[in-house]
Each structure stands twice: as structure tokens, then as C-alpha cells.
Amino acid sequence: MSNFLTPAEIAQTAAAIGHDKAKQSWWKLLILGFLAGAFIALGFLVDIRVTASLPDSLASIKSLLGGAVFPVGLMLVVIAGAELLTGNMMTLPLALHAKKIGIGGLVYNWFWVLIGNLLGALFVAGVFGLGAHLLTEDPFKTTVIALATAKAKLPFGSTILSAIGCNWLVCLAVWMAYGAKDIGGKILAIWFPIMTFVAIGFQHVVANMFVLPAGLWVGAPISWGQIIVEWIGAFIGNAIGGWLFTATAYFLVYMRKAGDTTTG
């Protein structure tokens, strides 16, 4: 017996998961969303703690090393269990295309998960980043300020495009993890795509719910207005990457019936 699913089987599995997510009670989505936001923030926090002391002359090594540890966040989401907005930008649209849910179910899930993710990310930034002083002293303070400033000042269009690439890779990680039948396979499926997006420097809306407020709180020269605009751009791009480049693409290939010209 194979220890992994075929892409066509993954499509059916992901659509069924999307259906279940749309039916989940709001308070469970909020709790699981909080956990996912915290998990992703912890992944970003360990990235900063591991790479901040390396010199800029080793920028490529810093990116690779940060990418190597950041995936722990999504591993916790997928294996331990949590609700992550960016992954749901693939599963819910796929269920919608397959006519397993309506648009109301998608919006319902995204709304409560977004709120939970934001609360979880802010919790880690405030309690661990500031309260535990993990980001209040150099070189960690300087690093988080630089990261937050660069993200907040990235042009809006560039943020969207970067976020498309990010969630294309994140959703592929989730997609492949659904296809693995054992924990080792899920870890490998998650690690490579997430390492890639982090090393490239793509924009992830939930990760940025952590690093932008954390940077602001330790002195980054940015405003809440800039942060919100960045989040909006990252949300739009992440949604396109998850919905169009993953859910729609695989629905058309593996799930649409012959002669059916609709996608939702």
C-alpha cells in the first residue's frame, strides 16, 4: 500500500477538509486560529533569534538558516492541528469550486480564522517578543526593526505580487502534507516549500501580523496605517496564490467533470 496519495486523491481530500472547515463552530475556529497565528509567529521568532547575530556578508546563509527553522510553524499547524488563514485560502475555495460549500461558508471561516490568527500573532509579539524581552535587545531588536520597516515600506503592488508567490508555496506545502500518510512525510512535504518562500523573502500575511507590530513596538519608524496597508496587500496576494494558483488550478485538472465549464 502506498504511503502517499495521488494528486487527484489529494484534491478530493482537500475539498472534503474545506467542507468540514466551513461547518466548524465559530469559537473553535477562533481558538484554532489563535493557535495557528501563535505557531507561525513562533516560527518567525526562532528565525530571528537564530539569524540575527550573523553578519550581513552572510546574507544568503542567513536566509537559508532562517528558512530552515521557520517551517516549524506550519508543521505545528498541520500536524498538531490549527486553523491558518493562508492554508484555508486553498481548501475553502477548492470546496467552493466542488460545490461542497457556498461563498458564505468560505467568508465565515476566513473571518473567524483571520481574527484568531491576528490575536495569536499579537500574543507572541507582545508576550514573548516584548514581555520576555526576546526582541527588545540587539541584535534581535535591530533585526526586527529592519524587517518591519522593509515590509511596511514595500510598494503595495510589490507586496501583492510577493504574497502571491508566498501562498502558492504555502498551499503547495499544505497540499503535499495532505498527501502524506505519516508524520515524517508531512514534515518533509512542509519543510521544502516553506524554506523556499522564507529564503526568497515572500510576504505572508499571518507572519506579518507578528513581525510588523513587534517591529513597531520596539521602535521601527512605521505606523499602524502602513501596517494595515501591508496586511491588506499581503492578504490579497496570499488569496490569489492560494485560490487561483492552487485551488482553481488543481480543481480544473483533477475535479472538474468533462463538459463542465463552471468553477464555483
Side-chain angles (χ1 to χ4, degrees):
M1 180 180 293
S2 173
N3 64 348
F4 59 89
L5 303 179
T6 67
E9 291 171 332
I10 296 173
Q12 295 295 335
T13 298
I17 290 172
H19 169 269
D20 293 343
K21 287 176 178 288
K23 305 301 180 182
Q24 187 70 271
S25 60
W26 69 268
W27 62 271
K28 289 184 179 180
L29 291 176
L30 193 61
I31 293 172
L32 292 171
F34 175 91
L35 293 176
F39 294 161
I40 296 301
L42 288 169
F44 209 152
L45 180 59
V46 71
D47 175 346
I48 294 169
R49 294 287 299 184
V50 166
T51 63
S53 61
L54 294 176
D56 291 340
S57 60
L58 297 177
S60 296
I61 300 300
K62 289 176 68 172
S63 295
L64 181 61
L65 185 58
V69 298
F70 189 101
V72 67
L74 189 61
M75 291 175 191
L76 291 171
V77 169
V78 172
I79 298 171
E83 288 283 334
L84 182 63
L85 178 64
T86 46
N88 289 4
M89 288 173 170
M90 177 269 291
T91 51
L92 275 294
L94 187 62
L96 179 66
H97 288 326
K99 297 183 173 61
K100 293 180 179 291
I101 64 170
I103 190 67
L106 181 148
V107 173
Y108 164 80
N109 176 276
W110 283 14
F111 174 80
W112 288 110
V113 171
L114 185 153
I115 298 300
N117 287 175
L118 177 60
L119 293 175
L122 292 175
F123 175 84
V124 172
V127 173
F128 300 138
L130 274 69
H133 299 290
L134 295 178
L135 296 176
T136 58
E137 299 177 359
D138 283 331
F140 315 109
K141 177 180 177 180
T142 300
T143 297
V144 75
I145 287 175
L147 284 168
T149 302
K151 288 175 179 291
K153 295 186 177 181
L154 190 68
F156 189 72
S158 297
T159 297
I160 292 175
L161 294 176
S162 178
I164 290 173
C166 170
N167 212 32
W168 193 358
L169 287 165
V170 170
C171 289
L172 286 173
V174 174
W175 180 272
M176 293 192 298
Y178 286 161
K181 296 182 180 179
D182 58 74
I183 289 180
K186 292 181 185 295
I187 289 172
L188 287 174
I190 291 167
W191 190 83
F192 284 99
I194 302 304
M195 179 275 292
T196 301
F197 110 66
V198 174
I200 290 172
F202 283 150
Q203 303 299 313
H204 187 278
V205 65
V206 179
N208 290 353
M209 290 176 181
F210 159 75
V211 74
L212 287 168
L216 176 67
W217 292 337
V218 298
I222 60 177
S223 67
W224 277 109
Q226 289 175 302
I227 289 173
I228 292 170
V229 168
E230 198 284 339
W231 285 347
I232 292 171
F235 177 94
I236 293 170
N238 286 169
I240 294 171
W243 191 322
L244 180 62
F245 285 83
T246 314
T248 301
Y250 284 139
F251 171 79
L252 292 173
V253 173
Y254 295 118
M255 299 184 73
R256 192 181 70 168
K257 297 178 181 179
D260 183 2
T261 59
T262 64
T263 57

